[in-house]
Every structure is written in structure tokens, then in C-alpha cells.
Amino acid sequence: MAVHLRKYLRLNKLPHIWCPGCGHGIILNSLIRAIDEVGLDQEKTVVVSGIGCSSRATGYLNFNTLHTTHGRAMAFATGVKLGNPDLNVIVLSGDGDSAAIGGNHLIHAARRNIDITTVVFNNNIYGMTSGQYSPLTPKGAYGTTAPYGNVDQAFDLCDLMISSGASYVGRGATYHAKQLTTLITSALDHKGFSFVEGISQCPTYYGRRNNLKTAVDMLQWQKDVTIKKKAAEKLSPEEQQEKIMIGELHKVADRPEYVEEYEKVIEKVSKKEGTTG
Ligand SMILES: Cc1ncc(C[n+]2csc(CCOP(=O)(O)OP(=O)(O)O)c2C)c(N)n1
Ligand code: SF4
């Protein structure tokens, strides 16, 4: 890692505990580079995570960090942002953490368009608890709780975020680490709820069960299956079904932001009650 980026890490917490070949470190690297690019003030930045391999990231980041309970990162983050709107608030979460137990918090944060940036580390599985299937495990894929193939239809979490009201949505992958950095940079720059899904690899649990035995196999799979948004637009709907679209998927600049809306109400009521000058 470049020397000037070391200040963003708690070096005394390293080496990290992620398995060899895990993609989560690549997403952390992209996040750090994006934070540096945007020039966020370390003292004014709060990073919140839930529980899971992905959520270990807050342990390594040298910011104000909250490692909260499973699925509740967004609820804590919403409280932090409303308590002090001057803070930059970032949520880091796994696909299980954000889309299963934390699913309601996530869609309501998007609905409110609160100025929080969320990065979901999507390894398609519950990594920390040894490979149970998650809402993002593809139909037919294997997990410890899907030994004969998952029968559930997976969420497209980016589509869910767009329809819930998120004003910035992007999807990247660890294979395309530079693009992932660019997406997180744009998300951090964006005012309103910004969401980036980072496709990550878990060779230990997802890979081994799905005939992708090594991290290299998993990265090759990402390379084969992902397609940039512009290129995808040239494909038929059937061909698109076979691919995972990456890039900036959605951006609107004019949706009212939640904290600002909330503050307008406070100002109006304060004037009425005569509690402001
Ligand atoms: C309330 C509660 N339920 C279940 C658990 C057990 N648990 C810990 S991590 C985890 C899943 C993590 O998976 P994911 O969010 O996909 O992240 P990953 O580990 O794959 O990065 C679960 C179910 C818990 N800690 N708390
Ligand atoms: S179990 Fe999977 S997600 Fe967790 S650290 Fe290992 S490779 Fe990464």
C-alpha cells in the first residue's frame, strides 16, 4: 500500500484475519483510495459496520468507527448522521448483513435519501458463519444450507436500492478494482443516499462449494460474468440475464436530502414556538 494511505489504517490491528484470496481487502483498499481522492477529514468521518467478515473492516480503519450488531449498521448510522449532520457517515456491510437481517433499515435509508454512503461487500454468501445462503446467493448455487442448490430467487440489490429511492447507485467488482474505486469516490461525493455494491470473492465458502476453488477461479468468473453498462445496453434482454451489469447505474441530483428536510421542520416549529432568534 502507498505510504500516504497508511494513515487511514490502524496498523497495530494488522495483519487482518481475512482468508488468503478473500476479496474484502480489495474493497477496503478501494474505499481508502476513494476517501483519499475525495479528501474526507478523518476526524469528521464515521464508519459504521454490522457483523460479518465484511464488517471486520471497521476494525482496520483509522477513523471514528462503530462495529455494531448484525444488520443494524444503518440504524446506528442514521442516528449518527441526524445527531451531527456535519459528519461524513459511511456504512460497510455484508450481503447477509444488509439484505437479510438489515434489509428493512437499508430500504428505508434509501427511501429517506439520507446523506450516507453504503458499500456492500457482496460475496454471495454468509462468510463468517461458514457459508449459509444469503438473499444474494444466485438461484441454483450451493451453500451449507442449500446442499442441493438454492431455490430462492436472489435480490438484485442495486435494483432494489433504485426503486427504494437511493439517489446514487453503482455496482463494481474486486476484479475491476480501479472502477470500484471510482464508483466509491462518486458515491462519497454525492449528496443523498449513495449505494455501491462491490462483488467480492469468498473462496473459502462460496468458491469451494460452487466449483470455483481458488480466488483466481473466482476472479476469472467475475471477469466473465460482469459487463459494463454501455456494453450491456447492446445485448438482448435474454443475453443481459446472463450478465451482471457494473458501473454507475443510477444518479439523480435533485431528490431532497433527509437531514435537510428534517432541519426545515425543526426551523419551522422553532419559529412558531419562538425558540429561535
Ligand atoms: C442477531 C444475529 N443473528 C445472527 C448472527 C450470526 N451471524 C454473524 S455474521 C453473520 C452473517 C454474515 O454474513 P454477511 O453479512 O454476508 O457477511 P460476510 O461474513 O459474508 O462478509 C451471521 C448470520 C449474529 N451475530 N447476530
Ligand atoms: S470466510 Fe470468505 S468472506 Fe470470510 S474471510 Fe474467508 S474468504 Fe473472506
Side-chain angles (χ1 to χ4, degrees):
M1 168 154 298
V3 174
H4 76 284
L5 298 174
R6 288 191 188 163
K7 65 180 178 192
Y8 299 116
L9 290 170
R10 292 177 181 143
L11 296 174
N12 62 339
K13 299 284 181 202
L14 298 175
H16 60 69
I17 59 165
W18 289 316
C19 306
C22 178
H24 288 358
I26 300 176
I27 300 186
L28 185 70
N29 193 319
S30 285
L31 174 77
I32 288 170
R33 286 171 190 276
I35 287 174
D36 191 63
E37 176 76 28
V38 175
L40 294 189
D41 180 342
Q42 253 169 293
E43 292 300 319
K44 286 191 159 186
T45 301
V46 182
V47 191
V48 187
S49 71
I51 299 289
C53 297
S54 43
S55 293
R56 281 295 305 143
T58 44
Y60 306 128
L61 286 165
N62 190 21
F63 294 85
N64 303 289
T65 55
L66 283 172
H67 190 199
T68 71
T69 45
H70 187 41
R72 307 294 173 236
M74 195 59 75
F76 280 80
T78 301
V80 170
K81 186 69 189 176
L82 279 169
N84 186 350
D86 288 341
L87 297 173
N88 311 304
V89 182
I90 300 170
V91 169
L92 306 180
S93 185
D95 47 307
D97 193 63
S98 60
I101 188 170
N104 258 325
H105 298 299
L106 183 69
I107 60 175
H108 290 287
R111 176 173 66 90
R112 291 171 175 144
N113 196 34
I114 187 162
D115 187 27
I116 290 174
T117 296
T118 296
V119 180
V120 167
F121 295 51
N122 174 19
N123 57 6
N124 302 108
I125 206 86
Y126 286 141
M128 184 167 270
T129 46
S130 69
Q132 296 85 359
Y133 72 94
S134 87
L136 269 67
T137 304
K139 195 171 178 188
Y142 296 93
T144 49
T145 47
Y148 306 109
N150 174 28
V151 288
D152 292 357
Q153 182 65 45
F155 272 136
D156 180 324
L157 206 49
C158 289
D159 278 355
L160 182 67
M161 288 296 91
I162 294 167
S163 55
S164 300
S167 48
Y168 182 93
V169 177
R171 183 191 283 123
T174 50
Y175 180 81
H176 301 283
K178 277 195 174 171
Q179 182 198 39
L180 186 60
T181 305
T182 307
L183 291 168
I184 301 174
T185 303
S186 304
L188 291 171
D189 259 337
H190 181 80
K191 177 86 176 231
F193 189 74
S194 55
F195 177 88
V196 176
E197 176 186 334
I199 300 170
S200 182
Q201 72 273 13
C202 171
T204 304
Y205 290 116
Y206 188 77
R208 269 207 307 231
R209 282 196 173 258
N210 288 282
N211 211 21
L212 298 161
K213 290 196 178 61
T214 67
V216 175
D217 294 333
M218 296 207 73
L219 288 167
Q220 186 62 47
W221 169 79
Q222 284 188 23
K223 184 183 176 205
D224 294 341
V225 84
T226 53
I227 184 162
K228 301 225 164 107
K229 197 180 163 205
K230 271 215 163 114
E233 280 160 6
K234 294 182 188 135
L235 300 181
S236 69
E238 293 75 35
E239 287 169 325
Q240 280 186 16
Q241 288 286 318
E242 305 290 312
K243 296 283 184 187
I244 300 174
M245 216 189 289
I246 53 172
E248 192 171 283
L249 304 180
H250 178 74
K251 187 176 178 176
V252 278
D254 55 356
R255 260 206 81 199
E257 191 280 321
Y258 187 67
V259 179
E260 286 181 359
E261 293 300 293
Y262 210 91
E263 283 184 341
K264 280 184 207 160
V265 175
I266 293 173
E267 203 182 313
K268 193 167 91 185
V269 174
S270 304
K271 269 188 192 148
K272 211 165 137 197
E273 308 264 317
T275 51
T276 58

